[in-house]
Amino acid sequence: QTILCLPRSFEYSQKNAVLVPAAALGVGGMLVFWLRSRHKIKTIEMGDGWWGSGERPLKGKEDESIRPFKIEASDKEIEDLHRRLEQARYTPPLEGAAFHYGFNSNYLRKVVAYWRNQFDWRKQVEVLNKYPHFRTTIEGIDIHFIHVKPSYVPHGRAVQPLLMVHGWPGSFYEFYKIIPLLTEPSRHGLNEGDVVFEVICPSIPGYGFSEAPHQKGFDTIATARIFHKLMNRLGFKQYYVQGGDWGSRITTNMAQMLPQSVKGLHVNLVFVNKQGLRRMISVMLGAYVPWLVGLTREDVRRTYPFMQKNIYDLLRESGYLHIQATKPDTAGCGLNDSPVGLAAYILEKFSTWTDKSFLHKDDGGLESKYSLDELLTNVMIYWVTSSIVSSMRFYKENLSKDPNLTAHARVGVYVPTGIAAFPQEIVHTPRIWAKQNFKNIITYTYMPRGGHFAAFEEPKLLAQDIIHFVRKVEQL
């Protein structure tokens, strides 16, 4: 029996001699793959798209020329605007309502009277045209942008390209006050180190003078890809990006898509929606032992009472979002037809998103931070281009796919990141929460004042923070 078993045991030992190393090799390979995958930076697939009318042409290369563009005002559009303003109907506000029910119609009458009798659109068009405008065709639609270079570059200074992206209901015009601070910092007392910029401000497709997509599905990923193509077409291999509101989401996607092209990302609104046990514990303990969960005293001041600031205030300010994320074309019909309705809808956001306490003011506090010329110029960009509906659709395209805006949270942001946290922003994101997504935060600044429309409201504060951030990145 022993002799009979010998060949069999020899057979087994031969098999083991093959199987054990093979298994070890397999396990080792899996371990190496796992270790490598841990260090491999995930990115968003760049892909491609077509947003022009009809089917994508099978033949012929897209016209990649960059064409100078000029904004123009016509007698016909001004006469039509004046006629509509004169025929506006108003509903009296409730007594003592201030801005709690939305835009106060008593103050709206004053705004419309100024718009009809004193606002000079032709003069504002000259202001808009003071920077060079261009258009170029990308993925079937015309993309509008301004490109401002420094008039003088001191010897030894490197010019950094900076793409700045607006949100809703803003426009490229939001950046008009910050552009000179970035392109000529020394003239404005911002001479910090050797940082000077050339600034590119595109209009999101469907906003202002950028053509609206003709196909469904145009989201922030498509916008990020188009803006990468724009920067590449302008000859930039690496560049900085900056944004707030949708601009923050778009520039973050740009950093997730092509991290090798984005030298640094600066945002003044952080999209972080990861929930879970860790966040719940952080919220529960933060008000009592903030140091235990990584919150600062300033985080506590801005975040609590939590239900009031993060639930009730957000619900009050986000009714528009639900409409635009579901049936934008219906609500948009009235806004596209009535300049008064459009102004009320847009300017109400410039009130409460600038400062929540402006709810209590009869005039919404609008003229304490902006001039009526500035506010109405932004409204006019939507009016003359008939772009309010297409701008509202951007919410449906993004939120219908991803209601919580969390789909891209699984892809970390590894490029150097700067965060400017303005105290009157709609929601506050502590650094410890932001770190879940943004893995390489270089600067995080508690801004002393200001709200959602940072570049428009506090251009100098924002410019200082951008310069400080870029200077630190350049020293890395």
Side-chain angles (χ1 to χ4, degrees), residues 24-77:
L25 195 65
V27 171
M30 286 172 69
L31 186 64
V32 169
F33 175 79
W34 179 73
L35 287 168
R36 288 189 66 183
S37 66
R38 280 185 71 203
H39 294 288
K40 189 180 178 184
I41 294 173
K42 285 183 183 177
T43 58
I44 291 175
E45 186 89 22
M46 187 160 181
D48 201 8
W50 170 259
W51 309 103
S53 185
E55 295 291 320
R56 188 174 201 156
L58 295 173
K59 290 183 179 178
K61 196 180 178 186
E62 189 165 69
D63 177 11
E64 295 188 357
S65 64
I66 293 167
R67 308 174 293 277
F69 174 77
K70 196 172 183 182
I71 300 169
E72 293 178 347
S74 72
D75 290 338
K76 188 178 176 183
E77 73 184 6

Side-chain angles (χ1 to χ4, degrees), residues 34 126 145 179 197 233 236 265 315 338 417 433 454 464 476:
W34 179 73
E126 286 180 22
F145 63 98
I179 285 170
F197 298 92
R233 195 170 289 184
F236 301 116
L265 163 71
L315 282 172
S338 165
T417 301
W433 296 358
Q464 284 172 331
L476 291 176

Side-chain angles (χ1 to χ4, degrees), residues 18-28:
V18 175
L19 287 173
V20 171
L25 195 65
V27 171

Side-chain angles (χ1 to χ4, degrees), residues 69-71 121 128 133-135 141-146 166-174 201-213 227 336 342 346 377-392 394:
F69 174 77
K70 196 172 183 182
I71 300 169
W121 176 232
L128 291 174
H133 293 248
F134 303 91
R135 287 177 101 180
I141 52 176
D142 284 344
I143 306 301
H144 161 261
F145 63 98
I146 56 174
H166 65 88
W168 187 92
S171 63
F172 66 93
Y173 177 59
E174 282 181 71
C201 300
S203 295
I204 298 170
Y207 288 68
F209 300 99
S210 274
E211 186 179 352
F227 288 171
N336 197 43
L342 180 68
I346 287 177
T377 296
N378 183 64
V379 172
M380 284 294 288
I381 289 168
Y382 282 87
W383 177 253
V384 300
T385 58
S386 207
S387 62
I388 187 62
V389 176
S390 51
S391 75
M392 291 162 72
F394 203 50

Side-chain angles (χ1 to χ4, degrees), residues 187-235:
R187 284 192 182 182
H188 301 275
L190 296 172
N191 190 11
E192 187 178 348
D194 54 356
V195 178
V196 64
F197 298 92
E198 59 179 294
V199 180
I200 300 92
C201 300
S203 295
I204 298 170
Y207 288 68
F209 300 99
S210 274
E211 186 179 352
H214 298 268
Q215 312 294 331
K216 292 188 290 183
F218 187 85
D219 57 9
T220 58
I221 296 292
T223 314
R225 182 178 63 243
I226 281 176
F227 288 171
H228 270 309
K229 289 181 177 181
L230 171 64
M231 294 301 278
N232 189 254
R233 195 170 289 184
L234 291 171

Side-chain angles (χ1 to χ4, degrees), residues 126-178:
E126 286 180 22
V127 171
L128 291 174
N129 283 327
K130 76 176 180 178
Y131 295 131
H133 293 248
F134 303 91
R135 287 177 101 180
T136 187
T137 307
I138 304 176
E139 298 189 5
I141 52 176
D142 284 344
I143 306 301
H144 161 261
F145 63 98
I146 56 174
H147 186 179
V148 189
K149 299 178 182 180
S151 56
Y152 167 72
V153 181
H155 179 70
R157 290 201 180 183
V159 179
Q160 303 294 343
L162 173 66
L163 179 86
M164 303 190 79
V165 185
H166 65 88
W168 187 92
S171 63
F172 66 93
Y173 177 59
E174 282 181 71
F175 301 114
Y176 267 50
K177 289 185 277 188
I178 199 172

